Amino acid sequence: MTARAVVVAHPADLDAAAVRAVAAGATVELDDGLAGRLGATRAEVLAALDGGVPAYGVSTGMGALSDVALAETDRGDHSARLMLARAVGGPPYLDGTETRALLAVRLRTFLAGDAGVSAELCAWLAGLLASDALPAVPRTGSGAAGEIIPLSHAFGHLAGVGRWLTHAPPEAPGPLGPKEGLSLLQGTPVAAALALLRADDVRRLETLWLTTAAAEVGLVGASRDPYRPALARGDDVLAGVLADLAAALPGVTDDAPVRRLQAPVSFRVVGHVHAHLRRAVAALDGAVDRVLDGVGDSPAWLPGGSEGEEDDQDYQGGVFVGTAGFHGLELAAGADTLRVALAHAATVGAARLHRMLDPRTSGLPAQLSADPGPHGGLVAVHKRAVAAVHAVSGWSATPLGAAETSGGQEDVQTFALEALERLRLTVAAAHEVVACELLAVHQARLLAPHLLAEAPAPLAGLLDRLAALLPASTLDRPWGEDLQTLLEAALTAPAVGPDE
């Protein structure tokens, strides 16, 4: 764990970049001024509730039971009881990084004051992060309109139940106050946290993949025509991809000329495939930012005189407002869009790998074998890449969920968490494809070292890392061991956000 602390004086200080840092191990320190503002808002909320202002899920039941008014004797422990019957999940659980990101996003959504929770509850969340006490949160099985199932596991310990991914905190806080249990279950903090991390995964992988493609272009002597900067007219994202590709492309030498006027499609479309990946990542980043800045609590507390509200008499004292902040459509759609882009990139990568094994395209020994016939080369490595692509290629890209739950109160879902689980599995499959491509690049370089002799810095660095990780022999061996080495080597760049 790193000792770095993210100091938060304003909600915006705990932005996406800060959440990434917290997920990686940083702690959170809440400024006294921010804690004071949270305390003042909490006092307003309690005063409204004490004054008899009705509030969904606080003075009433939830879901289909929202018409049931709670007796005063039932309201005291209602916040804790909300967690119990909704904790229906189980393993597999989110990992430690994912859980830390979830806690950070949950904290961020409380800091604007819409939830009306206490400064003490916010401090408790920061304390969980500081002690790395992480609850066990189910990864799958969330068929609700929002995220009440995983969130009831994330915060069930405040009701005296739940499992821990690491260890329990040193001592439990006081009982949850009115509305706090409800607020802990609101919004889309799980999906936002996972979306942020998956976007980072793809951003890192895309950088490695583009350099790998540059190596493949050099090895097969593909024409550079499709990568000319002039072809990005009007498309800044494509222009950026082509510039990065140009920076990694090896030079064309006299003894390694361009082999054909047109390379196979899988080589010619590198720029467009990666540009689409970058656009899809940026779209998911934007969806996460809107969750961090938006109103996710329901009912949300809007104090008197809030920006954009009419200046009427009824509103001056503040009001509880029902919201749709639980509807994670943009996160679900963004995750599926990125997944489709990633699955397509994996398909293209597997196709490039196949062409690398074909001497008609590459000019290299068949199947990248040291001795074609007696040695099989990498033919089965391509089969593994094909299996990885097939495993993730059949899912629907549309987040549809017209399934009624909660007695008809919840009559549509976005299934954002399921979309993000599909994206996670697709990221893993894409890593397998890239590992297969990297192994082929290493083998081809050993068979024909002159082809990448003039590699610029980005590619030269990658080739050096491959040489350090993999055997220098081209003879047949259990290639799966090499692939596992590559998958575990973290060849991707450190995690960075779009503006870092």
Side-chain angles (χ1 to χ4, degrees), residues 127-145:
L128 291 178
L129 292 166
S131 63
D132 203 34
L134 305 179
V137 182
R139 179 179 295 283
T140 59
S142 181

Side-chain angles (χ1 to χ4, degrees), residues 258-418:
V258 170
R259 289 177 52 79
R260 291 183 177 178
L261 186 62
Q262 282 224 80
V265 169
S266 56
F267 286 86
R268 284 150 50 197
V269 300
V270 168
H272 288 76
V273 168
H274 282 258
H276 183 56
L277 263 180
R278 292 187 185 184
R279 277 189 281 267
V281 169
L284 193 54
D285 285 333
V288 171
D289 287 340
R290 282 182 281 279
V291 170
L292 297 181
D293 292 335
V295 178
D297 208 71
S298 184
W301 173 254
L302 299 184
S306 288
E307 181 180 354
E309 295 293 334
E310 293 295 331
D311 211 13
D312 59 54
Q313 186 64 35
D314 292 339
Y315 187 72
Q316 289 306 296
V319 65
F320 291 111
V321 177
T323 80
F326 57 85
H327 196 60
L329 174 62
E330 189 179 16
L331 293 168
D336 269 328
T337 297
L338 180 53
R339 180 187 60 76
V340 171
L342 191 61
H344 180 68
T347 302
V348 173
R352 280 197 306 271
L353 173 58
H354 202 198
R355 299 284 76 78
M356 291 268 290
L357 306 183
D358 185 350
R360 294 171 297 176
T361 297
S362 69
L364 297 166
Q367 300 178 180
L368 294 181
S369 170
D371 186 6
H375 287 260
L378 303 191
V379 64
V381 171
H382 172 247
K383 296 178 187 295
R384 178 166 175 179
V386 167
V389 172
H390 174 74
V392 297
S393 63
W395 291 318
S396 168
T398 306
L400 299 177
E404 290 198 353
T405 63
S406 193
Q409 183 73 6
E410 294 183 3
D411 52 7
V412 68
Q413 292 86 9
T414 62
F415 296 109
L417 297 183
E418 285 71 18

Side-chain angles (χ1 to χ4, degrees), residues 164-216:
W164 293 91
L165 192 66
T166 53
H167 59 87
E171 58 181 77
L176 290 168
K179 194 181 180 300
E180 290 188 316
L182 175 66
S183 292
L184 286 166
L185 301 182
Q186 296 298 307
T188 56
V190 183
L194 295 179
L196 183 150
L197 294 176
R198 298 295 83 83
D200 280 357
D201 290 341
V202 177
R203 197 172 1 256
R204 292 192 301 264
L205 180 60
E206 188 271 328
T207 300
L208 171 66
W209 216 341
L210 192 64
T211 306
T212 304
E216 293 167 329

